[in-house]
Amino acid sequence: KAGVTQTPRYLIKTRGQQVTLSCSPISGHRSVSWYQQTPGQGLQFLFEYFSETQRNKGNFPGRFSGRQFSNSRSEMNVSTLELGDSALYLCASSVGQDTGELFFGEGSRLTVL
Amino acid sequence: AQSVTQLDSHVSVSEGTPVLLRCNYSSSYSPSLFWYVQHPNKGLQLLLKYTSAATLVKGINGFEAEFKKSETSFHLTKPSAHMSDAAEYFCVVSDQEYNFNKFYFGSGTKLNVKP
């Protein structure tokens, strides 16, 4: 069974640009959540989608947005990039409705110059 | 509100000696508890999980954790550290809210293993 796939793995952008990251969950998983990980702030929850609906949201500005498609694949977008957005962005999938665990992808490493 | 406290941000042990990574949590309900490991520039990998069955949980790579409700703790242990155990470890609590799970992450403990 294929794991959680995140693309791209690495990317470099400049301030003011926007970026879109993609996440393909494990087959059959309907929940996809996104996390930002930085050395200073650690792991921070961005948002969670379940069956194409945002079900939960962390405390991030509106520049951070996401969506989920009917096949459960998810994208997150960051507009007007700032230097502080440099981070490892992790996607996790789960079945979504029980006490099951999160399954993480390898992450997308974003560097903003 | 639920919270997870990992009591040590860094732990250093010698290869072959025991590992103890401490985690305390607060939860209003009967939580599910997890330990994840993260190697540099990688995603998080599940080590083990507790979901109200046996209080002593065995995981991968020789790790285990004991759920102690009276102490609200879920400490991770391993009898003998290996160099490959050097990584960051996260304690995670999951609570059911509105018929779905919310996950709360500890701040992480970096394990250093000395030769």
Side-chain angles (χ1 to χ4, degrees), chain B:
Chain B
Q2 290 75 9
S3 68
V4 183
T5 302
Q6 291 185 242
L7 295 153
D8 306 293
S9 58
H10 291 82
V11 169
S12 186
V13 301
S14 296
E15 191 174 22
T17 64
V19 176
L20 170 63
L21 305 183
R22 298 181 295 166
C23 173
N24 286 100
Y25 69 92
S26 68
S27 172
S28 304
Y29 308 103
S30 295
S32 295
L33 296 155
F34 310 84
W35 275 99
Y36 283 83
V37 61
Q38 185 182 32
H39 292 276
N41 288 312
K42 297 287 188 181
L44 278 68
Q45 179 188 14
L46 180 69
L47 276 178
L48 49 80
K49 65 178 179 180
Y50 166 79
T51 54
S52 72
T55 57
L56 183 62
V57 182
K58 293 189 184 298
I60 63 171
N61 301 335
F63 284 94
E64 61 182 39
E66 186 172 7
F67 173 67
K68 291 186 177 180
K69 188 173 182 178
S70 60
E71 299 176 10
T72 59
S73 70
F74 190 57
H75 301 334
L76 181 70
T77 61
K78 182 174 181 177
S80 176
H82 191 271
M83 295 297 292
S84 61
D85 295 328
E88 189 162 18
Y89 293 79
F90 292 91
C91 181
V92 181
V93 173
S94 168
D95 267 342
Q96 279 261 311
E97 292 185 24
Y98 307 110
N99 202 36
F100 67 93
N101 290 339
K102 289 187 74 171
F103 293 86
Y104 301 87
F105 283 75
S107 54
T109 298
K110 289 186 178 174
L111 176 64
N112 177 47
V113 182
K114 299 174 287 186

Side-chain angles (χ1 to χ4, degrees), chain A residues 39-107:
Chain A
Q41 300 295 320
L43 264 170
Q44 293 186 281
F45 172 73
L46 281 155
F47 29 65
E48 186 229 358
Y49 287 86
F50 179 81
S51 293
E52 302 180 66
T53 301
Q54 188 180 88
R55 190 164 66 172
N56 200 6
K57 189 177 189 306
N59 191 25
F60 276 80
R63 299 186 297 108
F64 292 81
S65 63
R67 58 178 175 169
Q68 187 180 34
F69 302 96
S70 58
N71 62 358
S72 293
R73 189 178 72 85
S74 177
E75 290 181 347
M76 68 162 282
N77 184 276
V78 188
S79 63
T80 321
L81 284 166
E82 301 177 359
L83 296 179
D85 298 332
S86 295
L88 181 66
Y89 290 88
L90 292 165
C91 165
S93 77
S94 69
V95 172
Q97 285 184 305
D98 58 13
T99 55
E101 65 267 32
L102 296 171
F103 294 83
F104 283 85
E106 298 265 277

